[in-house]
């Protein structure tokens, strides 16, 4: 996480630095990112970067965490919009991710095509960002469980794991195969439909 000196920056300077970080991680994945490019774009001395972040990984995961926070807000919004239907929410969220534009899309593409366990775990918090039982209960309360064949909280947690795994794999496939929005959405909807229907006669 950023050091306290980062939060002491003016909003303008902080945004300038974050834009430079985002630009670099949109250009290349984390493994290829260059602190030299970040400080050059932000127009700060290299030493100043280390006053704000431990290293490039620290800056990357800060950016990712900020994205996850926005995702969590979007998940709640989409759940409300679709009357608690977890399947429709997932479809809407998938569509939003694959239709991101410009830097956001490039950042996500680099993110998913170079995914590690740590990155997968952090991004997965978009759908299970509840560090406490109270947060979990709040999230679960937004879901319309009357349409689900689940009988307890543990089954709901595993349902979320399954849906999140399908979502992440589908996003990776979309970016790696450079699928059109139409093809990617059709394929994802088919997978979600199969899960909704059940696979055993």
């Amino acid at each position: 996480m950023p050091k306290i000196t980062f939060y002491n920056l003016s909003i303008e300077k902080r945004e300038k630095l974050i834009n430079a970080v985002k630009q670099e991680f949109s250009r290349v994945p984390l493994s290829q990112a260059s602190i030299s490019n970040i400080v050059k774009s932000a127009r700060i001395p290299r030493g100043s970067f280390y006053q704000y972040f431990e290293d490039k990984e620290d800056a990357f995961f800060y950016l990712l965490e900020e994205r996850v926070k926005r995702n969590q807000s979007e998940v709640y919004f989409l759940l409300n919009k679709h009357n608690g239907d977890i399947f429709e929410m997932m479809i809407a969220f998938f569509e939003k991710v694959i239709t991101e534009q410009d830097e956001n899309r490039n950042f996500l593409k680099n993110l998913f095509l170079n995914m590690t366990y740590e990155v997968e775990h952090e991004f997965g918090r978009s759908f299970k960002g509840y560090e406490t039982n109270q947060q979990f209960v709040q999230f679960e309360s937004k879901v319309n469980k009357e349409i689900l064949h689940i009988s307890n909280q543990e089954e709901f947690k595993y349902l979320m794991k399954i849906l999140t795994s399908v979502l992440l794999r589908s996003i990776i496939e979309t970016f790696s195969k450079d699928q059109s929005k139409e093809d990617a959405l059709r394929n994802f909807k088919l997978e979600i439909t199969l899960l909704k229907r059940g696979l055993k006669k």
Side-chain angles (χ1 to χ4, degrees), residues 91 94-95 98 180-189:
I91 291 171
F94 174 78
E95 183 173 12
I98 66 170
S180 68
K181 171 191 169 182
E182 293 75 20
D183 287 345
L185 197 54
R186 182 178 63 249
N187 294 343
F188 186 67
K189 283 182 177 179

Side-chain angles (χ1 to χ4, degrees), residues 49-92:
F49 177 87
Y50 293 103
Q51 291 179 355
Y52 308 131
F53 298 101
E54 290 290 341
D55 46 33
K56 67 179 183 179
E57 286 79 9
D58 195 23
F60 173 83
F61 278 97
Y62 169 76
L63 205 63
L64 178 55
E65 184 175 5
E66 291 299 300
R67 174 73 195 207
V68 166
K69 288 177 183 176
R70 292 195 299 274
N71 286 350
Q72 289 172 350
S73 296
E74 186 70 19
V75 164
Y76 275 95
F77 170 78
L78 292 172
L79 266 178
N80 287 328
K81 181 179 178 181
H82 294 283
N83 301 311
D85 188 324
I86 199 78
F87 300 106
E88 291 302 317
M89 179 276 285
M90 281 287 184
I91 291 171

Side-chain angles (χ1 to χ4, degrees), residues 22-146:
K22 186 175 181 180
Q23 185 179 50
E24 180 64 5
F25 291 125
S26 298
R27 187 183 70 84
V28 292
L30 171 60
S31 61
Q32 299 173 30
S34 163
I35 292 176
S36 295
N37 287 339
I38 293 172
V39 299
K40 182 179 179 181
S41 178
R43 296 183 180 180
I44 60 172
R46 186 181 181 91
S48 295
F49 177 87
Y50 293 103
Q51 291 179 355
Y52 308 131
F53 298 101
E54 290 290 341
D55 46 33
K56 67 179 183 179
E57 286 79 9
D58 195 23
F60 173 83
F61 278 97
Y62 169 76
L63 205 63
L64 178 55
E65 184 175 5
E66 291 299 300
R67 174 73 195 207
V68 166
K69 288 177 183 176
R70 292 195 299 274
N71 286 350
Q72 289 172 350
S73 296
E74 186 70 19
V75 164
Y76 275 95
F77 170 78
L78 292 172
L79 266 178
N80 287 328
K81 181 179 178 181
H82 294 283
N83 301 311
D85 188 324
I86 199 78
F87 300 106
E88 291 302 317
M89 179 276 285
M90 281 287 184
I91 291 171
F93 185 86
F94 174 78
E95 183 173 12
K96 185 178 186 304
V97 169
I98 66 170
T99 55
E100 288 275 7
Q101 298 298 314
D102 305 322
E103 273 192 5
N104 285 336
R105 180 177 176 82
N106 290 333
F107 173 72
L108 290 172
K109 187 172 184 178
N110 285 331
L111 178 80
F112 282 103
L113 294 186
N114 299 275
M115 187 164 281
T116 62
Y117 170 78
E118 290 82 3
V119 172
E120 180 180 355
H121 174 75
E122 183 64 23
F123 194 87
R125 289 180 59 245
S126 302
F127 307 96
K128 45 184 186 287
Y130 31 77
E131 283 72 25
T132 68
N133 190 60
Q134 183 180 357
Q135 288 173 311
F136 174 77
V137 170
Q138 181 184 5
F139 175 79
E140 188 182 19
S141 70
K142 302 291 184 182
V143 175
N144 180 3
K145 290 185 286 301
E146 291 183 4

